[in-house]
Structures are given as structure tokens and as C-alpha cells.
Amino acid sequence: RLGNGTGLQIADIGCGSGYKLMHQIAPVAPAVTGFDQPFIIEQCQKRYPEATWQSLDLDHETKSAATYDLIVCADVIEHLQDPDVLLRFIKTAAHPQTIILLSTPERDVLHGVENIAPTNRDHIREWNQAELTAYVEASGFRVTQVDLVATLKPHLSKHYFHFLRKNTGKLRHTMMLTLQLR
């Protein structure tokens, strides 16, 4: 739906190290912008000076200076005290045709329906598919698709390897919601 990538403006909110943006997205759509916390953006600017990097503090209201054709926000929302700030920022970065990819762990797949508390100490809140769909729709988005996928941010950490060892049957535990502005 986005064409061949020529001229596309793509944003990665919560870009982390910038690896995914620079090695998986930029080769097919060179107009990319990575957003993350200031200390992370400093590292990205040093590692990939050819890209556009913007500091973003999702603890405070911020508006985007530009709009994007594709917005990727992988495994960020579960870390935020007030995820409404993120969703309001995304609205300012989107135009009516923007496709938004929002991912987060699917709580029921990971922990079962009885456990509603995150087991990852870095997560403030986790949702199941019905809860997250209702939440983003109430926030002014239209959910066009929901899929379970392998994580978009695999990382080489002790926590992640422990998770993989104990959950080999749950590799597709991340919800990927495709959204558009309502």
C-alpha cells in the first residue's frame, strides 16, 4: 500500500540503537527519522550520521514537526507511565493516509489470562489483543489489522535468552496492530 519506497517519509518511534531503522528500513526507503530519548539519539547520531535523529521525551507532551507516511513504534508503549502521550505524538506525526505499526507483547499469550501483571520489570503495563485494540480505537485510531508476530526488537540480553528458553512455543507473542487515523 505504500508503493516502492521512493519519497516515503518513515519514522521509527523508540528506534533504540538505530540498527533496525538503518539496516532493515532505510535500504528500501531512504527518508527515515529515528526518535528516542536524548542519550540514545546521541549514540545513533555518532553511529549513523547520514540519518535524521530526533530526541523525544514521552514523559512530556510533544508535537511532531513533520508528518510521515509510515510510523513504526515497536515495543515502546508497554514502558510508558502515560501511553496517551505517545498516542497523541503519533497523531501529530500522521496524516490521513499514514500507516502506523504499533507492537507490544500480547499478555495473555505470554502469561495466560489469569496473570494481568507484567513479569518484565521494565514494563509498566501489558495488554491483551482486545484491551489494546479498544484502547487505541478510543484514542482516535482505526485498527485495520492485528497479527501475532515474533518480536520486532530481539535483543541479546540475559532476560531475553531466559524468556526464549522457557517459552519456545511462544515465539509469536508480540501483537502487531496496523492503525490509521480515524
Side-chain angles (χ1 to χ4, degrees), residues 2 15 23 27 46 80 95 99 119 134 142 153:
L2 289 171
C15 64
H23 295 276
K46 290 176 186 173
L80 302 175
H95 56 70
I99 295 173
T119 59
R142 180 172 52 92
K153 281 192 173 177

Side-chain angles (χ1 to χ4, degrees), residues 45-161:
Q45 289 169 332
K46 290 176 186 173
R47 192 173 295 129
Y48 306 108
E50 68 277 15
T52 302
W53 305 102
Q54 301 224 354
S55 294
L56 178 62
D57 178 358
L58 290 171
D59 290 327
H60 298 94
E61 292 291 329
T62 306
K63 291 184 179 179
S64 178
T67 59
Y68 300 89
D69 302 303
L70 174 66
I71 298 172
V72 177
C73 186
D75 300 325
V76 172
I77 196 168
E78 67 273 11
H79 297 275
L80 302 175
Q81 189 67 40
D82 183 1
D84 290 347
V85 175
L86 168 66
L87 296 181
R88 286 191 292 268
F89 177 78
I90 290 173
K91 282 183 180 178
T92 69
H95 56 70
Q97 289 75 42
T98 299
I99 295 173
I100 303 153
L101 302 176
L102 177 71
S103 73
T104 189
E106 209 294 355
R107 185 189 68 226
D108 291 353
V109 171
L110 279 178
H111 313 299
V113 294
E114 297 82 27
N115 186 352
I116 62 170
T119 59
N120 181 332
R121 67 177 179 270
D122 295 328
H123 292 183
I124 294 172
R125 171 183 302 108
E126 292 176 351
W127 292 267
N128 65 27
Q129 180 178 327
E131 293 166 345
L132 187 61
T133 298
Y135 172 59
V136 296
E137 287 181 342
S139 298
F141 296 92
R142 180 172 52 92
V143 176
T144 60
Q145 188 169 333
V146 180
D147 295 296
L148 278 179
V149 299
T151 184
L152 297 180
K153 281 192 173 177
H155 48 283
L156 302 176
S157 72
K158 185 176 174 182
H159 174 76
Y160 189 63
F161 285 124

Side-chain angles (χ1 to χ4, degrees), residues 33-55:
T33 303
F35 291 89
D36 215 310
Q37 299 172 60
F39 72 94
I40 294 173
I41 292 301
E42 286 178 34
Q43 296 303 311
C44 291
Q45 289 169 332
K46 290 176 186 173
R47 192 173 295 129
Y48 306 108
E50 68 277 15
T52 302
W53 305 102
Q54 301 224 354
S55 294

